[in-house]
């Protein structure tokens, strides 16, 4: 990955982060989708910083990804039963 590609991915994740944060803080019907945007941004962030071997930032991204997944779990009211249903449907 060259420097220009890294810069492009940094801007993409920045835009996605802002979109997710605005959605979450709006407290409207679609607010829960903000966690999806944040999770997508943190996936990009974690992959990019892992590739760059910037371990503190990679761990930072991975930590926030876990928090995003927890938010998705809560906001979308997922349960272990619903998770088993999805697994059965797609296997």
């Amino acid at each position: 990955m060259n420097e220009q590609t890294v810069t492009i991915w940094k801007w993409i994740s920045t835009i996605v982060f802002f979109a997710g944060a605005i959605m979450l803080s709006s407290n409207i019907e679609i607010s829960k989708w903000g966690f999806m945007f944040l999770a997508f941004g943190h996936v990009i962030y974690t992959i990019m910083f892992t590739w760059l071997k910037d371990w503190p930032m990679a761990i930072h991204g991975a930590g926030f990804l876990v928090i995003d997944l927890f938010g998705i779990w809560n906001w979308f009211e997922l349960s272990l039963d619903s998770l088993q249903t999805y697994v059965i449907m797609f296997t």
Side-chain angles (χ1 to χ4, degrees):
M1 204 178 316
N2 62 32
E3 191 173 329
Q4 182 180 8
T5 304
V6 169
T7 301
I8 290 169
W9 280 111
K10 284 181 181 179
W11 278 111
I12 289 171
S13 63
T14 299
I15 292 166
V16 170
F17 287 143
F18 280 122
I22 289 168
M23 289 173 76
L24 255 169
S25 37
S26 296
N27 196 21
I28 56 177
E29 182 63 32
I30 63 167
S31 288
K32 63 184 177 182
W33 291 95
F35 278 109
M36 295 290 198
F37 278 72
L38 292 171
F40 178 66
H42 283 116
V43 166
I44 294 170
Y45 196 78
T46 304
I47 291 170
M48 182 184 55
F49 283 114
T50 299
W51 184 84
L52 292 171
K53 296 184 176 145
D54 188 341
W55 304 119
M57 295 306 289
I59 292 169
H60 175 267
F64 273 103
L65 179 58
V66 170
I67 293 167
D68 297 335
L69 294 174
F70 182 69
I72 290 167
W73 182 270
N74 283 320
W75 277 70
F76 285 86
E77 299 175 353
L78 299 176
S79 66
L80 291 178
D81 291 335
S82 65
L83 184 61
Q84 287 174 341
T85 302
Y86 292 128
V87 170
I88 291 170
M89 283 175 33
F90 293 109
T91 55

